[in-house]
Amino acid sequence: MEKMNFYMLVAGTMTMAVAGGFYIWYVLAQGVLRRSVSANMANTAGGTSSVTMSEQVKQPRHPAAIYAQVVNWVGLVFLGLAVFARWMAVGHAPYSNQYEFGTAFTFSIVLLGLILMRQFRQPTLGAFISPIAVAMGIYVLTLPITLRQVSPLIPALQNPILTIHVGVAIVAYGIFAIGFAAAIMYLLQRDGGEKRTWLPSRAILDDIGYRSVLIGFPLMIVVLVLGGVWANIAWGAFWSWDPKETAALATTLCYGVYLHAHSLKSWSGNRAAWLLVLGFALTIFTFFGNYFLGGLHTYGGV
Amino acid sequence: MATRLTGADKREERRRRVASGDMAAPADSGYGIQGRAIPIEEKPHKTPPAPVAPTSQERVSSFGEALWRFFCSVRLAMTLIALIVIATLIGTLLIQMPPELQGDPASRTMWVKGLAPRFGDFTGIMYDLSLFNLFTSWWFKLLLLVLTLNIVVCTLNRFPKMWKQSTQTRMDVGPNFFTHGEYTATIALPVAPAAAEQQLAGVLKRRHLSVRLRQPIAAGKDQAATGAYAVYADRFRYMPLGTYLNHVGIVLIFIGAIWGTLLGNSIKIVDFAVPEGGDRAVGYDTNLMVHSNGFTEVDYPDGRPADYYSDIVLYENGKQVAQQRIRVNEPLEYKGILFHQAFFGNAADIKVTDDASGALVYQSSVSLAYRSQMYGPNNPMGSFSLANGAIQVDVVEPAGPGDPSLRPGQVGLAMYRVTDDHQLWRETLSQNQSVRQGGLTFTFLRERQFSGLQVVRDHGVTVIFIAVACILTGLALVFYFPSRRLWARVESDAGGAIIHLKGQAPRRADLAREMMRIAEHLKAGGATIHAESPAIIEQRELFAEMGG
Ligand code: HEM
C-alpha cells in the first residue's frame, strides 16, 4: 500500500502535467478563436448599453478543452487513489506529516479546480491551476524518504477533532489556490482597451476569486475553531499563540481584509486581486510553517 | 494612437466604467453601484467651513462627529486588520518570551541577554517595542481595542439603514428604473400583457423567488401604463443582516478573552506536578486535593510514546468526588475545572531529619518539573523550602544517560538562602545515601514518576463558543443564502407584451446566471429576448460554448 501510494502520486503528478499542457494548448487556441468571435459580435452589436440578441450562436467546444478535462479527471483519480492507499497503509486519515498532508493538498487543488471550472464554465483556469498542482506534487515527491515510511501516531494526535481540523484545512488551502489562479489571471487581463482574448473577462475572474473566499474563509474559521477546541481538550488552552495557529489566523484575517476590500469601490479590482495573491502566499507560509515556526505543530518528525 | 471603438469595445468600456464606479449610481435604487445593499461611505463628507467662528459646543459636537465618522470607516477596519496581520506575522517569525518568564524581571532580563548574539544592538530596541512579548504588549491590545470600537460604531451606524432595506423595499418603480443597471433585460412575448405577467410570475416562482407584488399599473400614472403590470420578487431578503451576527460574534470573542483572563474567577496552573502516590492541593477558592495513583507510559517498539496516562483521584474537603484515568485527549472535569495530562517526569523522595532531636523535618516526593542550569544545560529540577521559607533546597537529576556531572540514579542537592540567593552547599547523592549539613541529615530515598497536570478553569471559553457560533451562522447566512431582488414591468407592445426586467443583489450573487435562466424559461414559453445587459450576455456566451 505504501508503494502503491507513491506510484499513484507519481502517476497523478505526471498526468496533471499532461493536463496542464492541454489546458495551455486550449488557451493558445482560444486566443485565435475568441478573436474571431468578438469580431462577429462587433459587426452585429450596436453601441448602446444593451445588445440586441440575434440568433444565439452555439459555439463548438475546442477539442483541447475536452482532452484537458478528461486527462484532468484521470489525474484526479490517481491522486485520489494515492490518498486512499496512504489511508489504508497508515490506518487513519492521512494528514499526520508533511508528506501525507501535501498529498492531500495536491488532491484537493485538483478536485476543487475541476469543480470551479465546471461551475464557471472556465477551462482556461486549468492552465493556471495545473502548474500549482504539479509543483505541489513534485514538492511532495522530493520530500525525504523517511516521511514516506509509515510511523504510528503520537498520543496527542489521536483525536477525531484533529482529523476534521486538518481535513477542513486541506479544502480551504485548495480553494485558496484556485482563488490565487483567478487573481493572477485577473491581473494579466487588461483593464481597459482591448481585452486579452485568451483570458475570461475581469468580471468573471473577480467572481471566481470572490467565490473561492466565500468558501475558504468560513472553512478557515472552522479550522481555527477546531484547533482551539482540540487544544482546549488536550492542553487546557483554547488559544496559545502557537506560531502555526497564529500564521493560520494571519491568513484568515488577510482574506477578511479582502472581503472588505471587495465591497469598496476603490479597493475592488486590482487591489483585491493582489490581496488574493497575498492570501495564498500566507496560506503557503502556513503550510510550510512546520519547518521554521516550531511550536505545538512540529509533529510527525518533519 | 486613435482607434475607433467597435460595438463590443464600447460595451466593454462601459462595463469597465460602471464597475469602477465612474458612472453615477442609480438614484432610485438604494443599492450602490454593483448592486450592493449598503453603499459604503468612501470618504467622509467634508462639512463646509462655517462662516462664523463655531461656539465651543459646536466644536465639541463636530469633533464628536468627526470621531464617529472615523470609527465608521471600513478603510479603518481594513487598515487595522492589516496591521494585526503584520503584527501576528512578526510574532510567528520572532522568538517569543515563554509566558512563565514574564512575571519575573530578573529572568526576563537574562532571557533577553541571551538573544543579544542573534539581534546585536537591536535587541534592546526590539525588546522595548515589545516584539518579544508581542501578543501581551500594550500596543497589540490597543489595536484590538480600536478594532472593537470600529466594529461597534460601524454596526450602530449602519443597522437602521440595513434593517429598513430588508423590511421596506420599494416595490413599484417608474419606467426609468429599467433603463440603467448592471442586470437588465428586455423580453418580448407574443401574448397579451395579462398572460405575460402570469407567465413571468410562474417562472419567478419556479426559480424560488417569492413574488411579493403583482399589480396593474393605474392608467394615468404614466402615459405608457395602459394595460401594464408591475411585478416584484425577491429571495433571502433578510440574509444580509447576517453581517451583524458575524461582527457581533467578533466583538464577543474579545469579550470572551477578557472575561477569561480578567473578570472570571479563572484558574490556570500550568505546572501542577503530582508525584506517584502523592497529593497536592489545587488552592485558589477550592478545597480540592489531587491524588495520583500512578503514571504510566506505553511506548511503541521504536521508543516513541504510544500512550501515557495518569490515574487521578480528586478529593473535596477530604471526600473523594472523582476518579479517572486522564490522557492527553481525555481530561477530568469537575465543577468547571479541567485537569489535563500535560507532561511527566521523575520525582525524588527526600527525607530531612534534625540531627540533635532526631525529629523528622521534611519527607516528601519532590517533582523535578523544572529545568536547571546548575549542573549542566538542561537538568530536570525541583525544589522545597525549609525554615519557614528562609531556605530553599534544589534537587537535580541527570539531563540524560550521558550527563558528565551526574550519573543515572544520582541526584544533586543544593541549598540556598532565599533572601540573597546565596548557595550554602551542594552535594551529589546516590539512592539511600545521606549527607549531613548544618545540623540536618538529608537522605535521597528513591526515585519515582510524577504526573504533570494543567489545571484550568476558564469561563471565557463558553463566551468564545457562543461567539464562534454567531460568526459562522452570520457568514453562512450572508454567503450561502444570497439575497437578490427582481423588478419587472410588463407592457403591451404591438399585439404582444414586452417585459422589462431588472435585478439587484448585494455581492452580485450569481445574478447574471439567474437572469439568464429566467430568460431561458420565458424563451421556452415562446418569448424572444430583445436586449440584455453585457453581464448577462457574457454568461450566455459561456454557457453556449461550454454547455449548459
Ligand atoms: C477582525 C475583524 C473583522 C472581521 C473578521 C470581519 C469580517 C467580515 C466579513 C467576513 C464580511 C463579509 C460578510 C459581509 O459582507 O457581510 C464583512 C463585511 C463587512 N464588514 Fe467586517 N469584519 C471585521 C471588522 C470590521 C470592522 C471593524 C468594520 C467596521 C467598519 C467592518 C465592517 C464591515 C462592513 C460594513 C461589511 C459589509 C461589506 C459589504 O457591504 O459587503 N468589519 N466583515
Side-chain angles (χ1 to χ4, degrees):
Chain A
M1 274 295 170
E2 268 176 271
K3 280 231 173 76
M4 161 152 168
N5 151 270
F6 185 71
Y7 295 143
M8 285 297 137
L9 190 55
V10 173
T13 307
M14 282 176 7
T15 314
M16 283 312 296
V18 175
F22 278 121
Y23 278 121
I24 290 169
W25 176 20
Y26 170 76
V27 167
L28 295 178
Q30 192 71 354
V32 185
L33 187 82
R34 279 270 160 142
R35 202 161 291 141
S36 64
V37 172
S38 55
N40 268 345
M41 293 291 293
N43 292 339
T44 54
T48 51
S49 68
S50 296
V51 181
T52 310
M53 290 295 294
S54 53
E55 187 50 40
Q56 190 182 307
V57 258
K58 192 103 182 158
Q59 293 289 333
R61 212 188 292 202
H62 193 277
I66 300 168
Y67 302 150
Q69 265 161 327
V70 171
V71 178
N72 201 347
W73 277 105
V74 174
L76 180 76
V77 170
F78 281 138
L79 291 170
L81 285 173
V83 173
F84 177 75
R86 185 73 189 181
W87 195 317
M88 291 296 112
V90 296
H92 55 81
Y95 349 107
S96 64
N97 70 21
Q98 198 78 353
Y99 175 80
E100 295 174 358
F101 194 65
T103 308
F105 189 5
T106 315
F107 172 74
S108 138
I109 293 173
V110 174
L111 175 67
L112 292 165
L114 275 167
I115 292 175
L116 263 82
M117 277 191 269
R118 160 114 203 98
Q119 243 191 357
F120 285 90
R121 309 271 183 310
Q122 283 302 338
T124 318
L125 263 179
F128 292 80
I129 297 171
S130 311
I132 304 175
V134 172
M136 190 51 68
I138 290 174
Y139 159 73
V140 176
L141 289 172
T142 52
L143 278 171
I145 197 154
T146 47
L147 290 182
R148 293 217 296 271
Q149 284 150 6
V150 175
S151 56
L153 276 183
I154 62 167
L157 298 181
Q158 300 160 358
N159 188 323
I161 291 178
L162 212 58
T163 308
I164 307 171
H165 165 72
V166 185
V168 177
I170 286 166
V171 179
Y173 292 6
I175 200 81
F176 287 152
I178 315 298
F180 168 73
I184 293 293
M185 290 161 78
Y186 185 98
L187 293 168
L188 286 176
Q189 179 60 284
R190 288 202 195 90
D191 191 4
E194 197 174 322
K195 82 177 220 203
R196 293 184 203 279
T197 50
W198 48 277
L199 282 175
S201 77
R202 283 196 146 195
I204 284 177
L205 293 168
D206 182 62
D207 270 357
I208 297 173
Y210 188 49
R211 177 73 60 88
S212 75
V213 181
L214 291 194
I215 300 168
F217 184 79
L219 291 184
M220 276 310 280
I221 292 188
V222 171
V223 171
L224 293 174
V225 171
L226 287 180
V229 169
W230 172 71
N232 197 40
I233 293 171
W235 315 113
F238 193 86
W239 189 266
S240 46
W241 296 108
D242 163 75
K244 185 142 171 155
E245 75 184 356
T246 308
L249 176 70
T251 308
T252 313
L253 287 178
C254 181
Y255 286 103
V257 176
Y258 168 86
L259 281 167
H260 291 104
H262 193 264
S263 67
L264 281 182
K265 265 176 265 157
S266 55
W267 269 78
S268 62
N270 276 341
R271 295 181 189 183
W274 278 113
L275 280 171
L276 284 182
V277 174
L278 185 66
F280 188 61
L282 288 176
T283 306
I284 293 293
F285 174 77
T286 311
F287 173 72
F288 287 110
N290 305 36
Y291 283 108
F292 45 89
L293 294 181
L296 297 174
H297 282 83
T298 46
Y299 50 75
V302 181
Chain B
M1 195 176 76
T3 46
R4 216 163 51 83
L5 287 181
T6 62
D9 289 336
K10 278 186 194 149
R11 268 203 330 276
E12 192 55 42
E13 168 70 13
R14 188 192 138 79
R15 162 207 283 295
R16 207 196 91 245
R17 287 199 291 148
V18 169
S20 65
D22 294 347
M23 295 175 97
D28 53 358
S29 68
Y31 274 71
I33 226 118
Q34 294 179 354
R36 294 191 182 286
I38 334 129
I40 289 178
E41 200 121 332
E42 284 273 305
K43 285 179 211 107
H45 304 292
K46 289 224 169 60
T47 21
V52 283
T55 66
S56 67
Q57 199 173 0
E58 271 168 359
R59 229 177 288 138
V60 166
S61 95
S62 74
F63 175 72
E65 241 170 66
L67 199 66
W68 181 265
R69 240 184 263 128
F70 175 74
F71 278 115
C72 280
S73 147
V74 177
R75 278 155 187 286
L76 177 66
M78 285 164 56
T79 313
L80 289 170
I81 305 172
L83 286 175
I84 293 170
V85 168
I86 293 168
T88 50
L89 283 177
I90 295 174
T92 60
L93 291 173
L94 273 186
I95 182 165
Q96 296 291 303
M97 188 181 288
E100 61 269 19
L101 291 186
Q102 300 217 347
D104 176 15
S107 43
R108 224 165 46 198
T109 326
M110 275 288 288
W111 188 86
V112 175
K113 268 201 197 122
L115 295 177
R118 231 194 292 178
F119 301 109
D121 295 341
F122 295 107
T123 318
I125 302 169
M126 288 165 80
Y127 178 65
D128 291 340
L129 289 175
S130 304
L131 293 187
F132 301 120
N133 52 358
L134 204 145
F135 300 115
T136 50
S137 71
W138 63 269
W139 61 264
F140 192 71
K141 284 178 188 154
L142 183 69
L143 268 181
L144 297 183
L145 180 74
V146 177
L147 184 75
T148 311
L149 275 178
N150 192 187
I151 296 179
V152 170
V153 172
C154 193
T155 300
L156 290 178
N157 195 46
R158 296 161 69 101
F159 188 77
K161 213 162 150 192
M162 281 278 283
W163 179 252
K164 221 168 132 186
Q165 226 153 30
S166 289
T167 50
Q168 312 164 7
T169 313
R170 217 179 123 195
M171 292 192 236
D172 60 334
V173 288
N176 291 338
F177 182 71
F178 295 93
T179 58
H180 49 244
E182 217 188 336
Y183 303 99
T184 56
T186 311
I187 298 165
L189 273 92
V191 293
E197 190 262 359
Q198 193 83 24
Q199 208 171 325
L200 175 68
V203 167
L204 293 176
K205 272 185 206 137
R206 202 155 350 134
R207 295 297 306 164
H208 307 290
L209 285 127
S210 39
V211 182
R212 307 207 299 123
L213 178 82
R214 295 175 63 178
Q215 144 186 308
I217 297 169
K221 200 170 171 192
D222 53 66
Q223 68 249 69
T226 359
Y229 291 87
V231 176
Y232 169 83
D234 58 24
R235 192 171 188 206
F236 300 137
R237 66 190 165 118
Y238 288 107
M239 296 313 170
L241 294 173
T243 288
Y244 294 104
L245 212 50
N246 173 39
H247 288 91
V248 164
I250 294 164
V251 173
L252 270 183
I253 291 229
F254 297 133
I255 293 176
I258 295 172
W259 194 281
T261 55
L262 296 181
L263 305 178
N265 51 347
S266 55
I267 299 176
K268 180 146 188 146
I269 312 171
V270 296
D271 56 354
F272 196 85
V274 193
E276 269 176 318
D279 300 310
R280 185 163 166 186
V282 172
Y284 290 83
D285 55 351
T286 69
N287 289 314
L288 295 175
M289 173 81 84
V290 176
H291 176 83
S292 165
N293 274 339
F295 173 83
T296 313
E297 181 181 353
V298 184
D299 286 345
Y300 290 118
D302 67 356
R304 302 205 305 162
D307 194 7
Y308 46 84
Y309 51 82
S310 302
D311 292 300
I312 292 295
V313 187
L314 192 64
Y315 296 92
E316 187 172 32
N317 297 319
K319 262 195 9 231
Q320 180 178 333
V321 286
Q323 174 166 22
Q324 191 182 317
R325 175 166 290 181
I326 62 170
R327 292 187 162 81
V328 174
N329 284 316
E330 296 165 16
L332 162 68
E333 181 173 3
Y334 180 72
K335 287 190 177 170
I337 304 178
L338 285 156
F339 298 83
H340 300 266
Q341 169 64 53
F343 55 105
F344 56 89
N346 290 328
D349 286 7
I350 304 287
K351 186 169 89 172
V352 184
T353 48
D354 190 308
D355 288 349
S357 64
L360 189 66
V361 179
Y362 177 88
Q363 177 165 11
S364 182
S365 274
V366 181
S367 303
L368 311 180
Y370 303 91
R371 298 280 150 184
S372 157
Q373 264 75 40
M374 181 169 69
Y375 280 77
N378 228 351
N379 295 71
M381 182 202 74
S383 51
F384 61 95
S385 328
L386 294 176
N388 292 325
I391 301 260
Q392 182 180 319
V393 182
D394 287 354
V395 186
V396 181
E397 71 164 359
D403 192 326
S405 47
L406 285 173
R407 286 200 314 281
Q410 286 188 322
V411 296
L413 288 190
M415 188 189 272
Y416 291 86
R417 200 161 54 212
V418 168
T419 43
D420 57 358
D421 220 19
H422 175 69
Q423 186 176 322
L424 301 169
W425 54 265
R426 180 169 135 175
E427 288 285 345
T428 304
L429 293 181
S430 297
Q431 190 168 346
N432 288 324
Q433 212 180 348
S434 298
V435 59
R436 297 179 125 188
Q437 284 283 2
L440 297 173
T441 301
F442 295 79
T443 313
F444 167 40
L445 295 174
R446 55 164 290 199
E447 208 174 58
R448 60 172 84 225
Q449 283 191 302
F450 73 82
S451 299
L453 311 187
Q454 182 160 160
V455 185
V456 181
R457 178 171 62 193
D458 186 351
H459 297 301
V461 171
T462 319
V463 179
I464 288 183
F465 281 129
I466 295 170
V468 165
C470 286
I471 292 176
L472 286 175
T473 315
L475 286 180
L477 295 184
V478 177
F479 288 172
Y480 306 131
F481 298 90
S483 163
R484 55 184 58 156
R485 31 186 99 186
L486 242 130
W487 292 262
R489 188 181 165 89
V490 187
E491 291 172 357
S492 69
D493 175 63
I498 193 144
I499 301 177
H500 298 282
L501 265 180
K502 174 164 170 173
Q504 282 181 353
R507 264 159 271 294
R508 296 209 213 99
D510 271 346
L511 194 54
R513 197 176 293 200
E514 179 72 76
M515 301 265 304
M516 184 191 88
R517 296 240 188 265
I518 289 168
E520 290 299 312
H521 275 294
L522 288 171
K523 224 168 110 183
T528 41
I529 301 165
H530 271 194
E532 275 176 336
S533 54
I536 306 172
I537 291 176
E538 193 170 5
Q539 283 289 318
R540 197 176 283 287
E541 280 173 12
L542 280 175
F543 274 70
E545 200 173 321
M546 306 312 307

